[in-house]
Amino acid sequence: EVQLGQSGAEVKKPGESLKISCKASGYSFTNYWIGWVRQMPGKGLDWMGMIDPGDSDTRYSPSFQGQVTISADKSITTAYLHWSSLRASDTAMYYCVRRIAVAGTWAFDFWGQGTMVNVSS
Amino acid sequence: DIQMTQSPSSLSASIGDRVTITCRASQSISRYLNWYQQKPGKAPKLLMYAASTLQSGVPSRFSGSGSGTDFTLTISSLQPEDFATYYCQHTYSTLTWTFGQGTKVEIK
């Protein structure tokens, strides 16, 4: 069974660093890109970026380029989302997703349960 | 960037009703359009990809259509478990897979 298990909720102060994780299981980790999606409180979904766990090739949405770093460790089938300096505006739920290629396009077929990040002074 | 606009933003419907949600892209995206369902407190779930192909396990009362800029998601007979927020998403260009703002389907 495919599963994406995310790390627990975080409460941080502005300026602090943070790395959240997404542990994949039930499939070949290096065969599928892993992405991250942000959902701010009461709002919609924002595509952040993705990584190929096989070679760590990474792509970012222009809106998030330079704001976060996506990485992966294939030895432990885990992807990460990292902030070097959090802002209050980073307060949101963050989902990791598995990207599949279907019918000549892509979709996110499995989602993690989400990690809530709360940034407040 | 390609903008995705859903309408309506919310709707109220009764069990058994036929419900249609529209998603419009700011430029042609061929059929590179996905639909997701999100229930309160849960992660989104893939319903449909390539505009009209149902993801495995999704009930056949869900259907999708469209190409180019205009797309629809239809629920033929609304069931209690269908009350949720629905999002469209384009995958036309690699780095800007924008979602629509969502359509909340509520009980009348």
Side-chain angles (χ1 to χ4, degrees), chain B residues 83-98:
Chain B
F83 291 96
T85 300
Y86 294 84
Y87 294 94
C88 63
Q89 177 207 25
H90 86 81
T91 55
Y92 183 77
S93 51
T94 301
L95 296 181
T96 58
W97 289 345
T98 316

Side-chain angles (χ1 to χ4, degrees), chain A residues 38 46-48 60-68 87, chain B residues 1 95-96 98:
Chain A
R38 181 184 74 178
D46 301 310
W47 162 243
M48 299 178 73
Y60 293 94
S61 163
S63 299
F64 291 92
Q65 178 79 48
Q67 307 305 309
V68 295
R87 308 172 184 176
Chain B
D1 291 2
L95 296 181
T96 58
T98 316

Side-chain angles (χ1 to χ4, degrees), chain B residues 22-37:
Chain B
T22 297
C23 178
R24 175 164 289 175
S26 59
Q27 68 181 71
S28 177
I29 57 170
S30 184
R31 292 176 60 82
Y32 296 145
L33 193 282
N34 304 325
W35 289 99
Y36 299 86
Q37 175 195 64

Side-chain angles (χ1 to χ4, degrees), chain B residues 4 10 12 15 18-19 21 23 34 42 47 50 55 57 60 62-63 65 76 86 89:
Chain B
M4 308 301 292
S10 65
S12 296
I15 302 300
R18 182 181 181 88
V19 170
I21 298 168
C23 178
N34 304 325
K42 300 293 186 182
L47 285 181
Q55 172 69 342
S60 59
F62 289 91
S63 64
S65 65
S76 60
Y86 294 84
Q89 177 207 25

Side-chain angles (χ1 to χ4, degrees), chain A residues 39 93 95 113, chain B residues 37-45 80-87 103-107:
Chain A
Q39 187 167 38
M93 181 73 81
Y95 295 102
Q113 81 275 21
Chain B
Q37 175 195 64
Q38 185 178 32
K39 296 183 180 180
K42 300 293 186 182
K45 167 189 168 183
E81 59 269 30
D82 301 335
F83 291 96
T85 300
Y86 294 84
Y87 294 94
T103 296
K104 187 174 183 180
V105 177
E106 299 176 300
I107 302 173

